Amino acid sequence: MDSVGASTAATPLCDVPRRVTSSLADFAAVTVDEVAKLISSAPSKTRQLDPAPTCLVKDMIGLLSPFIALLINKSLSTGCFSGEFKEAIVRPLLKRDGLDLNDLKNYRPVSKLPFLSKLLERVVQARLQAYLDGSSLLPGWQSVYRRLHSTETAVTKVFNDLLVAVDRVQMSALCLLDLSPAFDTVDHDLQLQQLKRQFGLCGTVLQWIHLYLYGDVLLFVVDVMCSVPQGSVLGPLFFVLYMADFADRAVKYGVSLHAYADDTELYHSIGRIRLPIRLYYKPCVYLVPFSR
């Protein structure tokens, strides 16, 4: 990724078109009850950087919730994301079973973020999700982060389109895309432009996201110019928004697409074909599961 970043460092950012009528400038304040529910529903795992065990926080939920709500509301109202919340222990995770354990390329870095940091992210994620759903801004070709959608609906959508093409006596070609490493391809400057011009995020909200994206602290202090933290709550959502205009490229060439997060399927059906009828129903396209 360093070589890719170096080769494109001098490339100017593309002009992100404006295509939004709604906007979100400020976050709604969180209530004590909302914080208490988030704490009680959170996993009881304790991270290495947590000042107190998560189980203790849950036991003292009635006492601590008002103070945590005050801390979160201060972050939301000022657009400030503390540097301490960016500190994370990064652990390598094997991408899938059967890969060579000695090859570092077969691992993905997963950030073990502090409990309070992930709690704050969940609050922000809930507000962003409500805004995106209410304004119908989430990409229609994505099955992730959409109510009543899943990997099953994603596969069903693509498979149904291919069957419809068969009924029309057409031949289909399918291309499976799996960006690797997907989250490391997110350019922060381009992401912020896109969030502002295409999704209407501005004011304190955009300032908070700017501080969230820039200057991540992992095993040591680094200036991260691209990627979103793997293991974070907001990272996957920001990646989906980053890829939102990918459909414009596909539509330009008359190609259909559907995706679940970073797993994308491009497919195109060709006009009527003249082959013996017995060959029409011999599948030449294989679907692979979106989730591993």
Side-chain angles (χ1 to χ4, degrees), residues 150-160 258 265 287-290:
S150 64
T151 54
E152 184 177 356
T153 58
V155 173
T156 302
K157 169 67 168 63
V158 176
F159 190 59
N160 179 75
H258 202 79
E265 296 190 338
L287 294 176
V288 296
F290 280 85

Side-chain angles (χ1 to χ4, degrees), residues 82-122:
S82 173
E84 293 183 357
F85 284 171
K86 299 178 185 180
E87 295 180 357
I89 300 298
V90 179
R91 299 188 184 280
L93 181 67
L94 194 64
K95 293 180 179 179
R96 58 179 179 272
D97 295 336
L99 296 178
D100 184 4
L101 300 178
N102 297 318
D103 189 349
L104 296 181
K105 294 181 180 180
N106 293 332
Y107 293 86
R108 63 166 55 93
V110 177
S111 305
K112 301 292 185 180
L113 295 163
F115 176 77
L116 284 180
S117 175
K118 300 197 76 168
L119 196 65
L120 174 57
E121 285 192 61
R122 288 190 179 94

